[in-house]
Amino acid sequence: MSEPFALLDNEKHADVKFTAPKYAHVADQHMLPVSLHELLYAAVEVPVVFIKNNDTEEFQAVMMLGLKPNQNLLVKGEEWLANYVPNVLRDFPLTVVLNPEHKDKVWIGLRENSEQVSKEEGEPLFADGKETEFLKNRREALLKHFEQDQQSRAILGYLNSKGLLSAQTLTVEVKGDQRNINGIYLIDERKLAELSDEDFLD
C-alpha cells in the first residue's frame, strides 16, 4: 500500500478511469489500519487490536487479517472475502497528501501504477476538465475518512496518556500448535474501571 503516487491533476489525468476494486496488492498484509469509527463493523468479522509506532509513539487500530506476517486470510486471488471493506481499501488508489509547509491544506494523490487505474475502461475521473460526480464522491469520502483517522489518532493519544493501553500477548492454537502474537495492545479494563469520574466522562 506504499506505492509511489502523483498529485491528482485534471490535465495530466484527464483520461484516467477507475476499474472495479482488486485486492491482490494487500494479499501479503496481515494487518490493515482502521479508524475508531470503523470498529463496530470491522470487529464483527476479525479481531481488532492496537499497535504502536515505535518511531512516533502513536497508536493505531488495526484489523488482524492473519496470524503471522505476510498472511492475509481475507484475500483470495484478487477478491476480498469479508463483508466489511475498510476505508483504506475503499479509498485506494487515492490517498491524502500532506505538505509540512501548508498544514491547513491537503492534496489528493493517485497511485498511478495501481491495477485499478486504466485509460481504456472504468469510471472516468474528469470530463471536459472538471471532476466527474464519481470522483467528487470518492474525494469527499477520502477526506471524511482522513478526518476520522485524525480524530482516532487524538482519541488513542488520550487513552494512552491515561495509561489505558496495555501491551498484550495473544496465544492462539492452530492445528495443535500454539502461536504467540506479540506487539499488540488492548484497552486495560481494570484501569478503565479505576478512572476518576472526571476522566471517565472525558
Side-chain angles (χ1 to χ4, degrees):
M1 298 270 294
S2 59
E3 296 96 326
F5 58 82
L7 294 182
L8 191 63
D9 182 89
N10 63 340
E11 294 183 0
K12 180 180 180 182
H13 302 118
D15 54 355
V16 165
K17 301 177 175 66
F18 281 0
T19 60
K22 300 175 182 177
Y23 302 102
H25 64 286
V26 293
D28 61 350
Q29 297 196 28
H30 70 299
M31 293 183 179
L32 282 178
V34 290
S35 71
L36 298 183
H37 302 72
E38 299 179 81
L39 296 192
L40 178 63
Y41 312 102
V44 171
E45 302 198 72
V46 298
V48 177
V49 298
F50 305 103
I51 59 172
K52 183 179 182 180
N53 185 319
N54 291 326
D55 294 328
T56 64
E57 297 295 310
E58 291 184 327
F59 286 86
Q60 170 76 63
V62 295
M63 297 173 66
M64 289 183 60
L65 309 177
L67 300 178
K68 57 185 179 180
N70 303 317
Q71 180 189 60
N72 188 335
L73 300 175
L74 295 188
V75 172
K76 183 177 181 180
E78 296 181 342
E79 294 184 36
W80 180 258
L81 302 180
N83 290 314
Y84 181 69
V85 180
N87 291 342
V88 68
L89 293 184
R90 284 190 283 164
D91 292 334
F92 191 85
L94 297 177
T95 185
V96 169
V97 181
L98 302 177
N99 187 327
E101 297 179 1
H102 301 277
K103 295 184 178 180
D104 58 335
K105 295 181 180 180
V106 297
W107 284 263
I108 306 299
L110 170 66
R111 294 180 175 90
E112 297 174 314
N113 296 331
S114 167
E115 291 185 1
Q116 290 178 238
V117 174
S118 172
K119 294 186 177 181
E120 287 75 38
E121 58 181 351
E123 293 281 357
L125 304 187
F126 298 99
D128 299 323
K130 298 181 179 180
E131 288 186 358
T132 61
E133 195 67 21
F134 171 79
L135 177 57
K136 180 181 178 182
N137 291 336
R138 289 290 299 263
R139 177 174 54 79
E140 289 177 352
L142 176 69
L143 295 177
K144 177 183 177 181
H145 298 158
F146 173 73
E147 290 177 358
Q148 292 176 344
D149 288 340
Q150 297 298 100
Q151 293 165 358
S152 299
R153 195 183 306 271
I155 292 170
L156 289 175
Y158 180 79
L159 295 180
N160 183 45
S161 72
K162 297 300 180 181
L164 297 180
L165 296 174
S166 299
Q168 302 285 331
T169 296
L170 290 185
T171 301
V172 296
E173 187 171 310
V174 180
K175 296 181 180 179
D177 293 330
Q178 285 194 341
R179 295 181 185 175
N180 292 327
I181 302 176
N182 302 304
I184 65 173
Y185 291 76
L186 301 176
I187 292 179
D188 190 317
E189 295 186 30
R190 180 182 59 81
K191 292 182 179 179
L192 181 64
E194 293 173 352
L195 285 179
S196 67
D197 291 344
E198 181 181 0
D199 284 344
F200 189 84
L201 290 175
D202 281 344

